[in-house]
Amino acid sequence: MYKKIIVIAIAVVGLASCFKEPGDLYPTNEPVYNNYPKTIADLTTFVTPGYSNFRNANLYGYQYLPLVLSCDHSFCSQNSAGNPFTIQGGDFLTNNINVTNTPNAALYAQLYTGVSAMNVYFDRARYFQITYGDKNAADVRALSGQAYFLRAYYYFLLEGFYGEKYIDMTQPEDPNVLGVPMPLTFATNIQETNLPRSSAYQVWSQIITDLDSAVANLQGVTYDATNQGRITEWAAKAMLGKAYVFTKQYDKARPVLLDVINNSGKQLMNYSQYKDAFNGNTANEFNSESLFEINVDRQADQGGILFSSNYKQSLTTDAGELWAPAIIGALGVDSLGNGDGNGGTSANMGNNYCKFFVHDRSLRRFGFDLPVYTYEANPNAVGQNSASSPSYMMDHVSYQNSLAARTNNTVDPRLFVCALEPWVDSCQQQYSVDHRPSNSTIAQYPVTIPVGKAFIINSDRTAFWGWNSRKYATTENSILAYGGNDASNIYMLRLADVYLLYAEASMTSSPSDALHYINEVHSRAYGGSHAFDYASLTAATKATGANDELANDPLKYERYVELFGEGGWWFDVCRWGIGSQEATYYLYGSTEYNPKTNSGPDFSKINAGNWSGSGTQIKAQHFPIPAQEISINTAIQRNNYPY
């Protein structure tokens, strides 16, 4: 009873007002008392769940980026561990999600949990203002601004996943294009939760109305260091501009986004900081580019989401379990290339949880198109074959070619922000006993070990490049050493996104502005040099592979490579209507497929079929309303297509 659970009134007592240590976060089984809240600190606790809910295991806390968005082929390939067309992860991988899919139902419910929490806040804020008057009006205004933004963000995700299609709000409303059910008040009984699907136009109108309210309420609001993760007026304006772009209201989007660019005080990170901004470096949290990010504090003693019955008290996330990098195994490789970076003895930085790695065709989009490496004897091997001194290694020619591709910028530098190349990149592992040759010291010491080919590949490993994920992955030790806890704050909105949204809004009205801001993002990847700038809005990109629709579209290409792995490409694909092209380009999403022979399950067939049709009949462009919701909400309308 997903929808019914989330409308239970929420009480929050005894929580600290410090945002970075919210105590996490709220019981969902206690009633709201009529005489609560009594203070601004009390009222603040009703906003905090809107932030902490993003860290839930059903959202960014665990499965949202790697599992739910495996429908976004640009992010990963998957070891399907069985029939990829029937397992629940495979449902997303093939854009063939069933109404009974459990992660889909969890996603739907958790997003509405965020909506419900903010509706409870508005109920309690009204009570507080009626009871205590205007003496805390400025504080209530700031809290309400955050709540409006958070409710809008949850509806933005709900509409992006479950709305029937993206709409053009410069055109009259079509009430037959359905959005999602839209509760806007605190429900006090089950009957009040039986809501029909609003039209997509109504949902987007509400998102924009909430963001307008957020902007108005947050005008001039600032926070101290302990509250630096809270929503600001600039985050609200950036999100408002994004909503305008997503609904093709470009004339409205441009001034709002330009205001953020010119007046927020934000600026793009330099490349060296940018490369280091996704892997747990606390110095990069809430940086010059960040507009809104989910705070993550590694708490190994808490056990994390997977390893603790009390995970809801944790401030961390565990998605790194699913894309933990592989490092070469302790047994090295033999003359046939068995083991290590090409076989079953690669060591996984996350034990056996890792199920995803970067799709080979994604590497081509970044400009990497070298032959798959082979093996040769390691001339510097010392002693017994080991991870620190393997007897065989990546062939010298492939190694030098990979280094040259980086030095010569023939590959987009952002690939090395997003992915780890076997044998060329390294991770660090901590050992308590030193097994290196001629050293028997028992101590805790770090060893830098080359990355291995993704260990989960279970077919012809010599056919895959098999790069590991780097963005948001733990690379300084096995994630299990931290109780499964990630350390990286997760970006929800940053300035590079704003630049590209402004460029998109300017494509027709001011092409020169569009090209300028595309090149601003592009040049950052090249150390700020404009020597690699695009000459036009149709210039060639690094995506030169066959049938790649990004080959001569710098705007789309830059959104792809710049925001890779951050959860936005799926929405771009759907709103641009390029799903069938993506399915054709990627062909496969499973390690049962052999890229050398082009044999195995051809995911493009089911993907292309799911992207066929017109209007609201395109199955793959929206997730199905879960069966649980359909069965208990008597007012809801089912999609017109079968599931």
Side-chain angles (χ1 to χ4, degrees):
M1 295 182 63
Y2 291 94
K3 193 74 171 293
K4 305 315 177 227
I5 293 172
I6 66 174
V7 300
I8 296 174
I10 299 170
V12 186
V13 292
L15 298 182
S17 61
C18 170
F19 175 65
K20 277 184 68 67
E21 300 292 341
D24 213 327
L25 274 171
Y26 61 95
T28 58
N29 59 347
E30 300 175 13
V32 174
Y33 298 104
N34 288 333
N35 63 349
Y36 192 84
K38 296 181 178 180
T39 66
I40 282 294
D42 293 341
L43 185 60
T44 300
T45 63
F46 287 91
V47 174
T48 306
Y51 292 96
S52 64
N53 185 59
F54 286 117
R55 288 197 304 268
N56 188 279
N58 295 326
L59 294 180
Y60 291 86
Y62 183 53
Q63 67 183 23
Y64 179 86
L65 287 176
L67 178 58
V68 169
L69 286 176
S70 62
C71 60
D72 172 353
H73 283 297
S74 67
F75 186 64
C76 59
S77 288
Q78 175 177 328
N79 179 344
S80 64
N83 185 343
F85 294 92
T86 59
I87 65 166
Q88 299 213 316
D91 288 352
F92 293 100
L93 194 65
T94 58
N95 297 318
N96 194 39
I97 305 161
N98 194 280
V99 294
T100 60
N101 182 283
T102 301
N104 178 55
L107 170 70
Y108 184 86
Q110 207 62 51
L111 291 174
Y112 273 111
T113 296
V115 170
S116 178
M118 294 305 91
N119 287 342
V120 171
Y121 163 80
F122 289 120
D123 177 83
R124 292 296 85 198
R126 284 189 291 272
Y127 161 81
F128 186 82
Q129 289 176 302
I130 290 170
T131 305
Y132 300 105
D134 293 333
K135 66 177 181 178
N136 299 113
D139 293 325
V140 174
R141 180 171 62 88
L143 291 174
S144 295
Q146 297 169 59
Y148 279 121
F149 175 97
L150 291 166
R151 186 170 70 178
Y153 203 105
Y154 284 113
Y155 273 127
F156 174 85
L157 294 176
L158 279 162
E159 184 63 22
F161 281 119
Y162 298 100
E164 288 191 319
K165 71 172 184 177
Y166 284 89
I167 59 172
D168 181 349
M169 290 188 70
T170 66
Q171 302 300 313
E173 176 183 2
D174 181 351
N176 295 315
V177 179
L178 298 180
V180 294
M182 196 166 54
L184 297 175
T185 59
F186 168 50
T188 58
N189 58 65
I190 296 298
Q191 288 70 33
E192 291 177 9
T193 70
N194 285 335
L195 298 175
R197 297 179 71 165
S198 299
S199 72
Y201 197 100
Q202 290 171 324
V203 177
W204 280 110
S205 295
Q206 185 62 47
I207 291 169
I208 290 168
T209 296
D210 276 357
L211 290 171
D212 275 330
S213 297
V215 170
N217 280 277
L218 291 168
Q219 189 79 34
V221 173
T222 59
Y223 306 107
D224 60 22
T226 61
N227 288 281
Q228 63 183 328
R230 292 192 180 273
I231 304 302
T232 68
E233 132 189 32
W234 302 110
K237 286 182 176 179
M239 199 64 202
L240 176 60
K242 190 167 190 170
Y244 282 142
V245 171
F246 275 39
T247 52
K248 299 185 179 181
Q249 300 181 83
Y250 301 130
D251 289 344
K252 292 182 178 180
R254 293 186 75 238
V256 175
L257 294 169
L258 191 60
D259 189 17
V260 177
I261 292 169
N262 289 337
N263 300 314
S264 67
K266 294 291 183 179
Q267 59 185 8
L268 298 181
M269 293 177 277
N270 61 45
Y271 179 74
S272 61
Q273 183 184 13
Y274 169 71
K275 186 175 181 180
D276 192 38
F278 299 89
N279 295 94
N281 185 342
T282 56
N284 288 325
E285 294 181 352
F286 308 112
N287 55 60
S288 66
E289 186 172 331
S290 174
L291 288 158
F292 175 39
E293 62 189 73
I294 302 171
N295 183 63
V296 175
D297 287 340
R298 178 177 280 156
Q299 297 177 296
D301 59 318
Q302 299 265 355
I305 288 169
L306 292 183
F307 298 95
S308 172
S309 60
N310 196 33
Y311 67 83
K312 290 182 180 179
Q313 299 299 318
S314 177
L315 298 179
T316 191
T317 55
D318 278 13
E321 289 288 349
L322 292 177
W323 61 67
I327 53 178
I328 64 170
L331 298 180
V333 294
D334 60 27
S335 60
L336 298 177
N338 296 315
D340 269 3
N342 204 40
T345 62
S346 289
N348 182 16
M349 298 282 277
N351 200 6
N352 64 344
Y353 290 97
C354 179
K355 295 294 183 184
F356 303 95
F357 64 100
V358 178
H359 198 294
D360 280 4
R361 295 199 172 213
S362 292
L363 305 183
R364 283 194 172 94
R365 277 198 161 161
F366 284 85
F368 186 89
D369 198 15
L370 296 172
V372 177
Y373 67 82
T374 59
Y375 281 92
E376 65 185 22
N378 179 6
N380 299 313
V382 177
Q384 184 179 3
N385 197 8
S386 66
S388 58
S389 183
S391 297
Y392 289 83
M393 60 187 295
M394 179 183 190
D395 72 272
H396 182 72
V397 172
S398 294
Y399 183 79
Q400 292 300 320
N401 287 341
S402 285
L403 293 181
R406 301 184 185 208
T407 302
N408 300 333
N409 289 315
T410 55
V411 174
D412 193 306
R414 285 166 290 192
L415 176 58
F416 312 112
V417 178
C418 302
L420 294 161
E421 182 178 3
W423 291 94
V424 181
D425 291 312
S426 299
C427 287
Q428 186 170 280
Q429 184 67 285
Q430 305 285 332
Y431 290 96
S432 59
V433 179
D434 193 336
H435 293 297
R436 290 175 294 180
S438 304
N439 189 338
S440 58
T441 302
I442 298 177
Q444 184 76 13
Y445 71 93
V447 173
T448 299
I449 301 175
V451 171
K453 191 172 291 188
F455 90 107
I456 63 170
I457 299 172
N458 57 7
S459 58
D460 180 4
R461 297 179 60 83
T462 64
F464 288 85
W465 282 320
W467 289 32
N468 293 265
S469 300
R470 183 179 185 273
K471 216 174 234 186
Y472 297 130
T474 297
T475 59
E476 83 279 13
N477 201 355
S478 168
I479 194 171
L480 294 181
Y482 304 109
N485 294 282
D486 295 322
S488 303
N489 282 15
I490 297 175
Y491 298 100
M492 306 289 280
L493 194 59
R494 56 187 180 91
L495 192 62
D497 190 8
V498 172
Y499 276 23
L500 296 174
L501 289 167
Y502 181 75
E504 185 173 350
S506 304
M507 293 287 281
T508 300
S509 60
S510 182
S512 60
D513 276 357
L515 185 61
H516 170 74
Y517 283 102
I518 289 170
N519 279 327
E520 285 296 294
V521 174
H522 182 70
S523 63
R524 187 260 295 276
Y526 295 87
S529 171
H530 287 279
F532 301 92
D533 278 4
Y534 300 110
S536 73
L537 294 174
T538 56
T541 70
K542 297 290 188 185
T544 56
N547 301 316
D548 194 337
E549 73 275 10
L550 306 190
N552 293 96
D553 195 330
L555 173 69
K556 290 185 176 66
Y557 173 83
E558 286 298 315
R559 287 194 65 81
Y560 175 88
V561 297
E562 175 65 29
L563 304 172
F564 185 91
E566 296 179 45
W569 185 245
W570 166 256
F571 304 116
D572 287 345
V573 167
C574 292
R575 68 191 180 89
W576 289 332
I578 59 172
S580 60
Q581 295 96 310
E582 287 289 276
T584 299
Y585 175 73
Y586 276 99
L587 288 178
Y588 65 93
S590 168
T591 58
E592 283 79 7
Y593 191 96
N594 189 323
K596 276 186 177 179
T597 60
N598 287 328
S599 61
D602 185 348
F603 281 63
S604 69
K605 291 178 180 177
I606 189 167
N607 279 321
N610 288 336
W611 285 105
S612 63
S614 62
T616 61
Q617 299 300 307
I618 301 175
K619 179 179 180 180
Q621 74 180 359
H622 47 124
F623 291 5
I625 302 292
Q628 294 94 327
E629 176 72 359
I630 294 170
S631 67
I632 60 181
N633 183 352
T634 57
I636 202 166
Q637 296 169 263
R638 282 206 59 170
N639 304 78
N640 294 326
Y641 50 80
Y643 273 98

